[in-house]
Amino acid sequence: MTPPPIQLTAQEAAYAENAKKFKQSYFAMKDHVLKYNLFVPEETAEPLPLVVFMHDMGSVSEETDYTLRQGIGALVWADEKEQKKRPCFVLAPQYSEKSAHDDYTVGWAAEATIQLIEYICSKYNIDKARIYGTGQSMGTMMLCELLITHPRFFAGCFLTAGQWDPERMAAIKDENVWIMVSEHDGRAFPIMGACMEAIEKAGGQVARGHVDAKADEETKALFCKNVLSQNANIQFTWLDGDSVLLPGAHIFPAVHHMSTWKWAYLFEPIRAWLFEQKL
């Protein structure tokens, strides 16, 4: 049975209109076609960063703009207020099939996404030292694999509600990554925790912290400051207990997992951290 849609917070709903700012197109390869959504900022005379958002399994669709409807992982970066502070291009590929699997393998869309990014960089005035990756669930899983197979391709990544192979994740120990999961996500929290232990055993530096998802802006800012004060390039953070749930939320097995990204992209200090990363 398909779980019911996750209720939008008022903050999320405020970003919905940004979907209209994206143009839909497709990238044709020899054996596949990868559809995508692209936001182009108003002023592009100077090279600007590129944010690449990779969606979850629930957004797999043949409809090009479907990824713009499941949370705000792409929309937040195109918001007018955000663009004034951090102007950038935003690329949101639309995957037509499951692209990352629980056995820690990926499909053709992983390498196709790298090719698409390189294509977009060749067509627009993009700062290749500031390509940022972000994703939720399936998108996070695929992005973890790309961090392993394409080291130093992304200047920084923000990963939400996902996990990957603890036996291989030590390979990302030198990448700039901020991870956010829900404490009650039965897979992402423990498995990503094991990934962090593997990174530390390999000599990597991991900062940790947790916070209530519904915390006010001052508390969020202090939380992020405390995490960054640990002086690590990888930040492993989680949202406390049931704090990701809205009052009266319908409870089903993946509700904490699917509710993670409704809060994660609202952390302004994390968005600011991402844009500070540069190759």
Side-chain angles (χ1 to χ4, degrees), residues 34-95:
L34 179 55
K35 299 175 182 179
Y36 67 88
N37 304 270
L38 182 67
F39 168 80
V40 177
E42 292 182 3
E43 181 54 59
T44 61
E46 296 295 326
L48 293 176
L50 170 67
V51 176
V52 185
F53 171 71
M54 304 178 195
H55 65 73
D56 56 290
M57 178 60 185
S59 297
V60 168
S61 175
E62 292 288 349
E63 297 180 49
T64 308
D65 67 344
Y66 205 84
T67 181
L68 305 179
R69 309 178 205 171
Q70 176 77 298
I72 61 172
L75 304 182
V76 65
W77 315 98
D79 190 70
E80 182 179 1
K81 292 181 180 178
E82 192 76 10
Q83 282 288 310
K84 287 181 178 179
K85 291 183 288 186
R86 291 176 278 271
C88 65
F89 293 82
V90 187
L91 174 64
Q94 178 62 57
Y95 304 116

Coordinates of all heavy atoms in Angstrom, one line a residue, residues 34-95:
L34 N 17.7 11.2 -19.8 CA 17.5 11.7 -18.5 C 16.8 13.0 -18.5 O 17.4 14.0 -19.0 CB 18.9 11.8 -17.8 CG 18.9 12.3 -16.3 CD1 18.0 11.4 -15.5 CD2 20.3 12.3 -15.8
K35 N 15.6 13.1 -18.0 CA 14.9 14.4 -17.9 C 15.4 15.2 -16.8 O 15.9 14.6 -15.8 CB 13.4 14.1 -17.8 CG 12.8 13.3 -18.9 CD 11.3 13.0 -18.7 CE 10.8 12.2 -19.9 NZ 9.3 11.8 -19.6
Y36 N 15.2 16.5 -16.9 CA 15.7 17.4 -15.8 C 15.0 18.7 -15.7 O 14.4 19.1 -16.7 CB 17.2 17.6 -15.9 CG 17.7 18.4 -17.1 CD1 17.8 19.8 -17.0 CD2 18.1 17.7 -18.3 CE1 18.2 20.5 -18.1 CE2 18.5 18.5 -19.4 CZ 18.6 19.8 -19.3 OH 19.0 20.6 -20.4
N37 N 15.1 19.3 -14.6 CA 14.6 20.7 -14.3 C 15.7 21.6 -14.0 O 16.6 21.2 -13.2 CB 13.6 20.6 -13.1 CG 12.5 19.6 -13.3 OD1 11.4 19.9 -13.8 ND2 12.7 18.4 -12.8
L38 N 15.7 22.8 -14.6 CA 16.9 23.7 -14.4 C 16.4 25.1 -14.1 O 15.5 25.6 -14.8 CB 17.7 23.7 -15.6 CG 19.0 24.6 -15.5 CD1 20.0 24.1 -14.5 CD2 19.6 24.8 -16.9
F39 N 16.9 25.6 -13.0 CA 16.7 27.0 -12.6 C 17.9 27.8 -13.0 O 19.1 27.4 -12.6 CB 16.4 27.2 -11.1 CG 16.5 28.6 -10.6 CD1 15.4 29.4 -10.8 CD2 17.6 29.1 -10.1 CE1 15.4 30.8 -10.4 CE2 17.7 30.4 -9.6 CZ 16.6 31.3 -9.8
V40 N 17.7 28.9 -13.8 CA 18.8 29.7 -14.2 C 18.6 31.1 -13.5 O 17.6 31.7 -13.7 CB 18.9 29.9 -15.7 CG1 20.0 30.9 -16.2 CG2 19.0 28.6 -16.4
P41 N 19.6 31.5 -12.7 CA 19.5 32.8 -12.0 C 19.4 34.0 -13.0 O 19.8 33.9 -14.2 CB 20.7 32.9 -11.2 CG 21.7 32.0 -11.8 CD 20.9 30.9 -12.5
E42 N 19.0 35.1 -12.5 CA 18.8 36.3 -13.4 C 20.1 36.8 -13.9 O 20.2 37.2 -15.1 CB 18.1 37.4 -12.6 CG 16.6 37.1 -12.3 CD 15.9 38.2 -11.6 OE1 16.5 39.3 -11.4 OE2 14.7 38.1 -11.2
E43 N 21.1 36.9 -13.0 CA 22.4 37.5 -13.4 C 23.5 36.4 -13.5 O 23.7 35.7 -12.5 CB 22.9 38.5 -12.4 CG 24.2 39.2 -12.7 CD 24.2 39.8 -14.1 OE1 23.4 40.7 -14.4 OE2 25.1 39.3 -14.9
T44 N 24.0 36.1 -14.7 CA 25.0 35.0 -14.8 C 26.3 35.5 -15.4 O 27.0 34.7 -16.0 CB 24.4 33.9 -15.8 OG1 24.1 34.5 -17.0 CG2 23.1 33.4 -15.2
A45 N 26.6 36.8 -15.3 CA 27.8 37.3 -15.9 C 29.0 36.7 -15.2 O 30.1 36.4 -15.8 CB 27.8 38.8 -15.8
E46 N 28.9 36.5 -13.9 CA 30.0 35.9 -13.1 C 29.7 34.4 -12.9 O 28.6 34.0 -12.8 CB 30.2 36.6 -11.8 CG 30.5 38.1 -11.8 CD 31.9 38.3 -12.4 OE1 32.8 37.4 -12.2 OE2 32.1 39.3 -13.1
P47 N 30.8 33.6 -12.9 CA 30.5 32.2 -12.7 C 29.8 32.0 -11.3 O 30.2 32.5 -10.3 CB 32.0 31.6 -12.6 CG 32.8 32.6 -13.4 CD 32.2 33.9 -13.1
L48 N 28.8 31.1 -11.3 CA 28.0 30.9 -10.1 C 28.0 29.4 -9.8 O 28.2 28.6 -10.6 CB 26.6 31.4 -10.3 CG 26.4 32.9 -10.5 CD1 24.9 33.2 -10.8 CD2 26.8 33.6 -9.2
P49 N 27.8 29.1 -8.5 CA 27.7 27.7 -8.1 C 26.5 27.0 -8.7 O 25.6 27.6 -9.2 CB 27.5 27.8 -6.6 CG 27.9 29.2 -6.2 CD 27.6 30.0 -7.4
L50 N 26.6 25.7 -8.7 CA 25.5 24.8 -9.2 C 25.1 23.9 -8.0 O 25.9 23.2 -7.5 CB 25.9 24.0 -10.4 CG 25.0 22.9 -10.8 CD1 23.7 23.5 -11.4 CD2 25.6 22.0 -11.9
V51 N 23.8 23.9 -7.7 CA 23.3 23.0 -6.7 C 22.5 21.9 -7.5 O 21.6 22.2 -8.3 CB 22.3 23.6 -5.7 CG1 21.7 22.6 -4.8 CG2 23.0 24.7 -4.9
V52 N 22.9 20.6 -7.2 CA 22.2 19.5 -7.9 C 21.4 18.7 -6.8 O 22.0 18.2 -5.8 CB 23.3 18.6 -8.5 CG1 22.6 17.4 -9.3 CG2 24.2 19.3 -9.4
F53 N 20.1 18.7 -7.0 CA 19.2 18.0 -6.1 C 18.8 16.6 -6.7 O 18.3 16.6 -7.8 CB 18.0 18.8 -5.8 CG 16.9 18.0 -5.0 CD1 17.2 17.7 -3.7 CD2 15.8 17.6 -5.6 CE1 16.2 17.0 -2.9 CE2 14.8 16.9 -4.9 CZ 15.0 16.6 -3.5
M54 N 19.0 15.5 -5.9 CA 18.6 14.2 -6.3 C 17.5 13.7 -5.4 O 17.6 13.6 -4.2 CB 19.8 13.3 -6.2 CG 21.0 13.8 -7.1 SD 22.4 12.7 -7.0 CE 23.7 13.9 -7.6
H55 N 16.3 13.3 -6.0 CA 15.1 13.0 -5.3 C 15.1 11.6 -4.7 O 15.9 10.8 -5.0 CB 13.9 13.3 -6.2 CG 13.8 12.5 -7.4 ND1 13.4 11.1 -7.3 CD2 13.9 12.7 -8.7 CE1 13.3 10.6 -8.5 NE2 13.7 11.6 -9.4
D56 N 14.0 11.4 -4.0 CA 13.7 10.1 -3.4 C 13.0 9.1 -4.3 O 12.5 9.5 -5.3 CB 12.9 10.3 -2.1 CG 11.6 11.1 -2.4 OD1 11.7 12.3 -2.8 OD2 10.5 10.4 -2.3
M57 N 12.8 7.9 -3.8 CA 12.1 6.8 -4.6 C 10.6 7.2 -4.8 O 10.1 6.9 -5.8 CB 12.2 5.5 -3.8 CG 11.4 4.4 -4.5 SD 12.1 4.0 -6.1 CE 10.9 2.7 -6.6
G58 N 10.0 7.9 -3.8 CA 8.6 8.3 -4.0 C 8.4 9.3 -5.1 O 7.2 9.5 -5.5
S59 N 9.4 9.9 -5.6 CA 9.3 10.9 -6.7 C 9.7 10.3 -8.1 O 9.8 11.0 -9.0 CB 10.1 12.1 -6.4 OG 9.7 12.7 -5.2
V60 N 10.0 9.0 -8.1 CA 10.3 8.4 -9.4 C 9.1 8.5 -10.3 O 8.0 8.2 -10.0 CB 10.6 6.9 -9.3 CG1 10.7 6.2 -10.6 CG2 12.0 6.7 -8.6
S61 N 9.3 9.1 -11.5 CA 8.2 9.3 -12.4 C 8.6 9.6 -13.8 O 9.8 10.0 -14.0 CB 7.4 10.6 -11.9 OG 6.4 10.9 -12.8
E62 N 7.8 9.5 -14.8 CA 8.0 9.9 -16.2 C 7.7 11.4 -16.3 O 8.1 12.0 -17.4 CB 7.2 9.1 -17.1 CG 7.5 7.6 -17.2 CD 8.9 7.4 -17.9 OE1 9.4 8.3 -18.5 OE2 9.4 6.2 -17.9
E63 N 7.1 12.0 -15.4 CA 6.7 13.4 -15.4 C 8.0 14.2 -15.0 O 8.4 14.1 -13.9 CB 5.6 13.8 -14.5 CG 4.3 13.1 -14.9 CD 3.1 13.4 -14.0 OE1 2.9 14.6 -13.7 OE2 2.5 12.5 -13.5
T64 N 8.4 15.1 -15.9 CA 9.7 15.8 -15.7 C 9.8 16.6 -14.4 O 10.8 16.6 -13.7 CB 10.0 16.7 -16.9 OG1 9.9 15.9 -18.1 CG2 11.4 17.3 -16.8
D65 N 8.7 17.2 -14.0 CA 8.7 18.1 -12.9 C 8.3 17.5 -11.6 O 8.1 18.1 -10.6 CB 7.9 19.4 -13.2 CG 6.4 19.1 -13.3 OD1 6.0 17.9 -13.5 OD2 5.6 20.0 -13.2
Y66 N 8.2 16.1 -11.6 CA 7.6 15.5 -10.4 C 8.6 15.7 -9.2 O 8.1 15.8 -8.0 CB 7.5 14.0 -10.6 CG 6.4 13.4 -9.7 CD1 5.1 13.4 -10.1 CD2 6.8 12.7 -8.5 CE1 4.1 12.9 -9.2 CE2 5.8 12.2 -7.7 CZ 4.5 12.2 -8.1 OH 3.5 11.7 -7.2
T67 N 9.8 15.8 -9.4 CA 10.8 16.0 -8.3 C 10.6 17.3 -7.6 O 11.0 17.5 -6.4 CB 12.3 15.9 -8.8 OG1 13.2 16.1 -7.7 CG2 12.5 17.0 -9.9
L68 N 9.9 18.3 -8.2 CA 9.7 19.6 -7.6 C 8.4 19.5 -6.7 O 8.1 20.6 -6.1 CB 9.4 20.6 -8.7 CG 10.6 20.7 -9.7 CD1 10.2 21.8 -10.8 CD2 11.9 21.1 -9.1
R69 N 7.8 18.4 -6.6 CA 6.6 18.3 -5.8 C 6.8 17.6 -4.5 O 5.9 17.6 -3.6 CB 5.5 17.6 -6.6 CG 5.2 18.2 -8.0 CD 4.2 17.4 -8.7 NE 4.3 17.5 -10.2 CZ 3.6 16.7 -11.0 NH1 2.8 15.8 -10.6 NH2 3.8 16.9 -12.3
Q70 N 7.9 16.9 -4.3 CA 8.1 16.1 -3.1 C 9.1 16.8 -2.2 O 10.3 16.6 -2.3 CB 8.6 14.7 -3.5 CG 9.0 13.8 -2.3 CD 7.8 13.2 -1.6 OE1 7.0 13.8 -1.0 NE2 7.7 11.8 -1.6
G71 N 8.7 17.7 -1.4 CA 9.6 18.5 -0.5 C 10.1 19.7 -1.2 O 9.8 20.0 -2.4
I72 N 11.1 20.3 -0.6 CA 11.7 21.6 -1.1 C 13.1 21.5 -1.4 O 13.8 22.5 -1.5 CB 11.4 22.7 -0.1 CG1 12.1 22.5 1.2 CG2 9.9 23.0 0.0 CD1 12.0 23.7 2.2
G73 N 13.7 20.3 -1.6 CA 15.1 20.1 -1.8 C 15.7 20.8 -3.0 O 16.8 21.1 -3.0
A74 N 14.8 21.0 -4.0 CA 15.3 21.8 -5.1 C 14.8 23.2 -5.0 O 15.5 24.2 -5.4 CB 14.7 21.2 -6.4
L75 N 13.6 23.4 -4.5 CA 12.9 24.7 -4.5 C 13.5 25.8 -3.7 O 13.6 26.9 -4.0 CB 11.4 24.5 -4.1 CG 10.6 23.6 -4.9 CD1 9.1 23.6 -4.4 CD2 10.6 23.9 -6.4
V76 N 14.1 25.4 -2.5 CA 14.6 26.3 -1.5 C 15.7 27.2 -2.1 O 15.8 28.4 -1.9 CB 15.0 25.6 -0.3 CG1 16.2 24.7 -0.5 CG2 15.4 26.6 0.8
W77 N 16.5 26.6 -3.0 CA 17.7 27.3 -3.5 C 17.3 28.4 -4.5 O 18.0 29.3 -4.8 CB 18.7 26.3 -4.1 CG 18.9 25.1 -3.3 CD1 18.3 23.9 -3.4 CD2 19.8 25.0 -2.1 NE1 18.8 23.0 -2.4 CE2 19.7 23.7 -1.6 CE3 20.7 25.9 -1.5 CZ2 20.4 23.3 -0.5 CZ3 21.4 25.5 -0.4 CH2 21.2 24.2 0.1
A78 N 16.1 28.2 -5.1 CA 15.7 29.1 -6.2 C 14.8 30.2 -5.6 O 14.3 31.1 -6.4 CB 14.9 28.3 -7.2
D79 N 14.6 30.2 -4.3 CA 13.7 31.2 -3.7 C 14.4 32.6 -3.8 O 15.6 32.7 -3.8 CB 13.5 30.9 -2.2 CG 12.5 31.8 -1.6 OD1 11.3 31.6 -1.9 OD2 12.9 32.6 -0.7
E80 N 13.6 33.6 -4.0 CA 14.1 35.0 -4.2 C 15.0 35.4 -3.0 O 16.1 36.0 -3.3 CB 13.0 36.0 -4.3 CG 13.4 37.4 -4.6 CD 12.3 38.4 -4.7 OE1 11.1 37.9 -4.6 OE2 12.5 39.6 -5.0
K81 N 14.7 35.2 -1.8 CA 15.5 35.6 -0.6 C 16.8 34.8 -0.6 O 17.9 35.3 -0.3 CB 14.7 35.3 0.7 CG 13.5 36.3 0.9 CD 12.9 36.0 2.2 CE 11.7 36.9 2.4 NZ 11.0 36.7 3.7
E82 N 16.7 33.5 -1.0 CA 17.9 32.7 -1.0 C 18.9 33.2 -2.1 O 20.1 33.2 -2.0 CB 17.5 31.2 -1.2 CG 18.7 30.3 -1.0 CD 19.0 30.0 0.5 OE1 18.2 30.5 1.3 OE2 20.0 29.4 0.8
Q83 N 18.3 33.5 -3.3 CA 19.1 33.9 -4.4 C 19.8 35.2 -4.1 O 20.9 35.5 -4.6 CB 18.2 34.0 -5.7 CG 17.9 32.7 -6.3 CD 19.1 32.1 -7.0 OE1 19.8 32.8 -7.8 NE2 19.4 30.8 -6.8
K84 N 19.2 36.1 -3.3 CA 19.9 37.4 -3.0 C 21.1 37.1 -2.2 O 22.1 37.9 -2.3 CB 18.9 38.3 -2.3 CG 17.8 38.9 -3.2 CD 16.9 39.8 -2.4 CE 15.8 40.4 -3.3 NZ 14.9 41.3 -2.6
K85 N 21.1 36.1 -1.3 CA 22.2 35.8 -0.5 C 23.2 34.8 -1.1 O 24.4 35.0 -1.0 CB 21.7 35.1 0.8 CG 20.9 36.1 1.8 CD 20.6 35.4 3.1 CE 19.5 34.4 2.8 NZ 19.0 33.8 4.2
R86 N 22.6 33.9 -1.9 CA 23.5 32.8 -2.5 C 23.0 32.5 -3.9 O 22.4 31.5 -4.1 CB 23.4 31.6 -1.6 CG 24.1 31.8 -0.2 CD 24.0 30.5 0.6 NE 22.7 30.5 1.3 CZ 22.5 31.1 2.5 NH1 23.5 31.7 3.1 NH2 21.3 31.0 3.1
P87 N 23.3 33.4 -4.8 CA 22.8 33.1 -6.2 C 23.5 31.9 -6.8 O 24.7 31.6 -6.5 CB 23.3 34.4 -7.0 CG 24.4 35.0 -6.2 CD 24.0 34.6 -4.7
C88 N 22.7 31.1 -7.5 CA 23.2 29.8 -8.0 C 22.3 29.3 -9.1 O 21.1 29.7 -9.2 CB 23.4 28.8 -6.9 SG 21.8 28.3 -6.1
F89 N 22.8 28.4 -9.9 CA 22.0 27.5 -10.7 C 21.5 26.3 -9.9 O 22.1 25.9 -8.9 CB 22.8 27.0 -11.9 CG 23.3 28.0 -12.9 CD1 24.4 28.8 -12.6 CD2 22.6 28.2 -14.1 CE1 24.8 29.7 -13.5 CE2 23.0 29.2 -15.0 CZ 24.2 29.9 -14.7
V90 N 20.3 25.8 -10.2 CA 19.8 24.6 -9.5 C 19.4 23.6 -10.6 O 18.5 23.9 -11.5 CB 18.6 25.0 -8.6 CG1 18.2 23.8 -7.8 CG2 18.9 26.2 -7.7
L91 N 19.9 22.4 -10.5 CA 19.6 21.3 -11.4 C 18.9 20.2 -10.6 O 19.4 19.7 -9.6 CB 20.9 20.8 -12.0 CG 20.8 19.5 -12.9 CD1 19.9 19.8 -14.1 CD2 22.2 19.1 -13.3
A92 N 17.7 19.8 -11.1 CA 17.0 18.7 -10.4 C 16.7 17.6 -11.5 O 15.7 17.7 -12.2 CB 15.7 19.2 -9.8
P93 N 17.5 16.6 -11.6 CA 17.2 15.5 -12.5 C 15.9 14.8 -12.1 O 15.6 14.7 -10.9 CB 18.4 14.6 -12.4 CG 19.5 15.4 -11.7 CD 18.8 16.4 -10.9
Q94 N 15.2 14.2 -13.1 CA 14.0 13.5 -12.8 C 14.3 12.0 -13.2 O 14.4 11.7 -14.4 CB 12.8 14.0 -13.6 CG 11.5 13.2 -13.4 CD 11.1 13.2 -11.9 OE1 10.8 14.2 -11.3 NE2 10.9 12.0 -11.4
Y95 N 14.3 11.1 -12.2 CA 14.6 9.7 -12.5 C 13.3 9.0 -12.8 O 12.3 9.1 -12.0 CB 15.4 9.1 -11.3 CG 16.6 9.9 -11.0 CD1 16.8 10.5 -9.8 CD2 17.7 10.0 -12.0 CE1 18.0 11.3 -9.5 CE2 18.8 10.7 -11.7 CZ 19.0 11.4 -10.5 OH 20.1 12.1 -10.2

